Amino acid sequence: MPIIFSPIPHPASNRTILDDPILQSSPSSPDADEEMESWRKRISSQGKLVDIGNLLHDIWLHHTRIFPLVIVIVISTFALFDLYLCYFVTSVLDGSTLPLSLNSSDHPCYSSPFCTINVKNLMLDPPDFYVHNTLSSLFVLWADLGNSYLFITPNMISFFHVFVALMASRLISNDSLCVRRIGVLLFQFRNFLDAVDGVIARERRKTVALASANLMIMNQTYSSIGGTDNNIYYPPPDGISMDQVKEYKSSESLGYWVDGICDGVGGIFLYLACYFYLQRHPVRRRSLFSYTAIPLIVSPRNGAVSSTHVSKKKRQKRQKKLSASYLSRQIIRSVHRYGFLSINYGFQALLGSIAWNRFIPNYTKLLETNASNFSSHETQMKGNLVTSPIMWMVILAWRYVNPHTWVEILLIAIFFDRTGEFLYAFRIRGFLVVIAISMLTEAHLRYARSLF
């Protein structure tokens, strides 16, 4: 119970001693008036502090009330960054087309998310694009993982973050909110590792390509001066052997599939953790913005408690018609269905992932071209298509319907103890959103193909 400071009430009325007319009319010295005024100010300030303390206390007791506010703040912040991204791309293109690379020998660009702009980066979720990729680039640059520690491969990191996802999911399924929050932070570390393996793969690709090109130049130089000995070995630069070059090229084709499978397994672990948690803690509040509890009914046979969404009259009418055994089975089924909210959300993310991975290669093939292979008119048309408002509607839609974005929002819901309410709110809306955006993207893709 918080301590409330207030003026002492007068014994004969509800007024305070400071408001007593006898005290106010009694003669007093200037020093007494100043002291009384200082007391009035002190009491007023204490009342304001108490109001603020009560507000913070109410927020702490009902901390889940701020979950929608946090979601709005996070999405609004990323939306402002995306508006700048739209302005940046449209201003830099200026008649050219994707991809854009701001990295050069004169002005090297390492960690900025705007270093390389391609179709995949444009449709990447904001947390990965602005946060994880930036931090992973800085980490790889600091540790020099692109040119050293070659025994650490991207596939090894992919397998390791599956193990991290398993440990995080085990914590997320715990009954303690503090432990679940630790699991959320650990799963965010898994997302960081997922970005690290991509950065390492790209840096290794550049290093191996440079080594192969230098080796080819050395062989051509030796042949031009009349060399015919094929047994002479020319080691490539950067300390990379030809065996490592061949091994990397053979494993690079599998890297895409390994990374995708490991991402999917990590997501499955997360959804299963939410499933087991909701099996033990059914949803009691149906709304993200209110605290109306779902009515509880008790099984007449075994006393099992369950939640139902039917009105009181319908429930009474149903209880008269149905037998006790059938009602018990319905109650048990009602209890167990809340865990399937997580599985339902996983299928929504899977549907979004399939659509996202289908549209990315098609838009990449359509928009990311070598300008030397096309006329200036076709290059100009591709640039105009990238900067068109409809194209940016598609880009921004997939940035927030991206399956990675869904995982990030679910982690925020888990952190603020709103897992069930969030999954219940999106049990149908998620499918509708993914299907609507997929239809819009398919129509735009066919229109874009018809222009060339």
Side-chain angles (χ1 to χ4, degrees):
M1 178 68 67
I3 301 175
I4 301 178
F5 298 92
S6 60
I8 302 174
H10 194 276
S13 66
N14 294 328
R15 294 175 302 173
T16 62
I17 292 179
L18 296 179
D19 297 328
D20 196 322
I22 298 177
L23 293 178
Q24 293 180 354
S25 59
S26 60
S28 59
S29 62
D31 294 338
D33 292 339
E34 292 180 1
E35 185 177 358
M36 184 66 66
E37 185 65 24
S38 65
W39 272 100
R40 289 180 183 274
K41 292 181 179 180
R42 184 180 301 179
I43 292 173
S44 177
S45 63
Q46 288 176 348
K48 293 179 181 179
L49 291 176
V50 169
D51 292 338
I52 296 175
N54 291 336
L55 177 61
L56 295 177
H57 184 261
D58 182 69
I59 291 176
W60 175 253
L61 289 180
H62 306 289
H63 57 275
T64 55
R65 293 178 184 269
I66 65 175
F67 168 69
L69 179 62
V70 172
I71 294 294
V72 171
I73 292 175
V74 170
I75 294 180
S76 301
T77 303
F78 284 134
L80 292 177
F81 283 113
D82 287 341
L83 290 177
Y84 176 76
L85 175 65
C86 177
Y87 167 77
F88 175 81
V89 173
T90 53
S91 60
V92 171
L93 277 179
D94 193 20
S96 60
T97 185
L98 297 175
L100 293 174
S101 180
L102 304 182
N103 192 7
S104 62
S105 58
D106 297 332
H107 302 283
C109 182
Y110 297 108
S111 59
S112 173
F114 303 99
C115 289
T116 302
I117 303 295
N118 51 34
V119 172
K120 184 177 181 180
N121 286 342
L122 288 179
M123 292 189 176
L124 197 63
D125 58 296
D128 274 345
F129 183 77
Y130 294 113
V131 181
H132 295 145
N133 284 354
T134 302
L135 295 178
S136 60
S137 298
L138 291 173
F139 175 74
V140 171
L141 178 65
W142 171 76
D144 195 22
L145 294 178
N147 301 318
S148 58
Y149 304 101
L150 299 179
F151 62 92
I152 302 178
T153 63
N155 291 342
M156 291 174 58
I157 299 178
S158 298
F159 290 126
F160 177 69
H161 71 60
V162 170
F163 174 76
V164 175
L166 177 61
M167 295 296 100
S169 301
R170 180 63 183 87
L171 297 178
I172 289 174
S173 64
N174 195 278
D175 295 334
S176 173
L177 177 59
C178 181
V179 176
R180 293 200 301 275
R181 286 175 173 173
I182 296 175
V184 169
L185 298 178
L186 189 59
F187 203 92
Q188 287 290 355
F189 177 65
R190 175 261 163 208
N191 293 339
F192 168 75
L193 292 177
D194 185 28
V196 167
D197 64 9
V199 175
I200 293 178
R202 288 188 290 270
E203 293 297 324
R204 297 276 175 85
R205 190 181 302 119
K206 295 177 184 178
T207 303
V208 169
L210 179 61
S212 300
N214 291 343
L215 180 63
M216 185 180 299
I217 294 174
M218 294 171 67
N219 289 334
Q220 291 177 353
T221 303
Y222 177 72
S223 300
S224 64
I225 61 176
T228 57
D229 190 357
N230 295 326
N231 295 324
I232 297 180
Y233 174 71
Y234 295 93
D238 299 323
I240 300 179
S241 64
M242 282 304 300
D243 292 336
Q244 290 174 333
V245 172
K246 294 178 181 179
E247 181 182 357
Y248 180 81
K249 288 184 177 181
S250 62
S251 63
E252 185 180 10
S253 58
L254 298 176
Y256 174 80
W257 296 102
V258 171
D259 183 65
I261 293 174
C262 291
D263 288 348
V265 172
I268 291 174
F269 287 156
L270 176 63
Y271 300 135
L272 288 178
C274 295
Y275 171 81
F276 289 120
Y277 172 77
L278 291 177
Q279 289 291 86
R280 301 190 305 271
H281 303 275
V283 183
R284 294 297 311 278
R285 295 182 294 269
R286 286 177 285 181
S287 175
L288 290 173
F289 302 95
S290 66
Y291 276 79
T292 303
I294 298 175
L296 294 179
I297 58 177
V298 180
S299 170
R301 172 166 294 185
N302 53 14
V305 179
S306 175
S307 303
T308 181
H309 306 306
V310 298
S311 63
K312 184 178 180 180
K313 293 182 178 179
K314 291 183 178 180
R315 187 167 66 251
Q316 292 176 352
K317 186 176 180 180
R318 181 180 297 176
Q319 289 176 350
K320 292 179 181 179
K321 291 183 178 181
L322 301 179
S323 62
S325 61
Y326 181 79
L327 183 59
S328 300
R329 292 195 300 269
Q330 291 297 106
I331 292 173
I332 294 174
R333 185 179 303 175
S334 176
V335 170
H336 286 280
R337 71 177 179 178
Y338 290 106
F340 287 96
L341 291 174
S342 174
I343 307 301
N344 178 72
Y345 190 79
F347 277 110
Q348 295 176 11
L350 176 63
L351 181 62
S353 178
I354 293 173
W356 186 76
N357 284 281
R358 179 187 180 275
F359 292 126
I360 290 294
N362 286 279
Y363 276 112
T364 300
K365 184 179 179 180
L366 182 66
L367 299 177
E368 292 188 18
T369 56
N370 189 356
S372 60
N373 298 333
F374 295 89
S375 63
S376 59
H377 176 67
E378 290 178 336
T379 303
Q380 181 68 31
M381 289 181 61
K382 291 178 182 291
N384 294 336
L385 182 62
V386 174
T387 57
S388 63
I390 299 180
M391 182 67 199
W392 275 97
M393 287 178 58
V394 172
I395 290 174
L396 294 177
W398 281 111
R399 286 177 73 86
Y400 293 93
V401 185
N402 189 298
H404 294 166
T405 305
W406 292 49
V407 170
E408 295 288 346
I409 297 178
L410 178 59
L411 292 176
I412 297 177
I414 296 171
F415 189 87
F416 287 99
D417 197 19
R418 302 304 296 270
T419 308
E421 293 84 349
F422 172 74
L423 295 178
Y424 184 85
F426 279 84
R427 67 193 187 281
I428 298 177
R429 297 183 180 96
F431 286 109
L432 298 179
V433 170
V434 172
I435 292 173
I437 294 178
S438 299
M439 294 175 62
L440 172 65
T441 308
E442 183 66 28
H444 179 264
L445 182 61
R446 294 187 178 185
Y447 165 75
R449 286 174 175 173
S450 65
L451 299 178
F452 303 100

